[in-house]
Amino acid sequence: MRNLLAIVGVTLLTACGGGGSSSTPVNTPPTAVVPISPAPEPGTMSGMLETHNQVRAAVAVMPLTWSSQMTSYAQEWATYLANNNNCEMKHRSVAGINPLNVGENLYWASAVKWSDGRTEIQAVTPTQVATAWADEKVDYNYASNTCAPGKPCGHYTQMVWNTTTEVGCGMAICPDKGQIWVCNYNPPGNYIGVKPY
């Protein structure tokens, strides 16, 4: 008899910019900078940069470049979360260890669990991760610069932040076969009271 899939998988998202907490407005976001470590997008992240840049083009924002420094930074945090934080999403800024003060988007996906007790790593692509963040656009109101009540939209606004010039991402598999994805953005976005574009 065939084993049926008991749980397809669960995904969670969380976004954080360099702009401080929601109770601390920051009125002076950094200006755009020349990428400090441009690099080609690695094959393991194929589609991540293209998806970001398609979303940015839709609102007439300049494309991002891939950054080796942001990639290393993101991979370091993804590995840390997978190995030391029980694969729970937590932003570097919340943990108090964001020395580069960059923006960050997080994505988590559970393992696939079968009815016979087996677990497998869920097939998730970089394009799917970036698209999940971009899909928050429907919950973002540009006129009021707010998210719909009870809905996140900070992943989307970080993706399209007009002064951000570079991105780099990493992914790690958790001991339970879940996975955690991290993208870091330089300069950061999501400054309170400032529109993304």
Side-chain angles (χ1 to χ4, degrees), residues 4-193:
L4 299 176
L5 182 63
I7 298 175
V8 174
V10 179
T11 59
L12 295 173
L13 315 167
T14 184
C16 184
S21 71
S22 58
S23 62
T24 310
V26 176
N27 297 319
T28 55
T31 57
V33 297
V34 176
I36 54 176
S37 56
E41 178 184 61
T44 57
M45 288 293 155
S46 181
M48 183 68 81
L49 183 62
E50 179 182 358
T51 304
H52 273 76
N53 286 334
Q54 288 171 349
V55 172
R56 291 172 68 87
V59 293
V61 176
M62 294 298 292
L64 298 174
T65 59
W66 194 264
S67 164
S68 60
Q69 182 182 30
M70 292 300 101
T71 300
S72 295
Y73 199 63
Q75 186 59 58
E76 175 186 273
W77 192 241
T79 301
Y80 172 83
L81 292 175
N83 296 331
N84 302 302
N85 201 49
N86 200 27
C87 215
E88 292 181 23
M89 292 190 299
K90 186 175 196 174
H91 285 289
R92 280 180 178 266
S93 59
V94 172
I97 47 176
N98 187 13
L100 296 182
N101 192 31
V102 295
E104 185 170 82
N105 279 351
L106 302 177
Y107 177 100
W108 172 85
S110 69
V112 175
K113 297 183 181 189
W114 296 89
S115 59
D116 66 358
R118 289 180 298 127
T119 59
E120 294 177 2
I121 296 169
Q122 192 177 155
V124 176
T125 68
T127 300
Q128 289 172 313
V129 172
T131 299
W133 294 331
D135 286 347
E136 292 177 0
K137 180 178 184 175
V138 299
D139 296 315
Y140 175 65
N141 182 315
Y142 183 81
S144 64
N145 194 30
T146 60
C147 302
K151 300 286 188 173
C153 66
H155 300 99
Y156 167 72
T157 55
Q158 176 59 85
M159 288 178 79
V160 297
W161 201 266
N162 68 344
T163 58
T164 298
T165 59
E166 61 182 1
V167 65
C169 306
M171 187 273 282
I173 301 298
C174 306
D176 67 355
K177 297 184 182 174
Q179 56 194 285
I180 190 125
W181 296 69
V182 177
C183 283
N184 286 125
Y185 301 84
N186 183 40
N190 288 344
Y191 282 84
I192 305 301

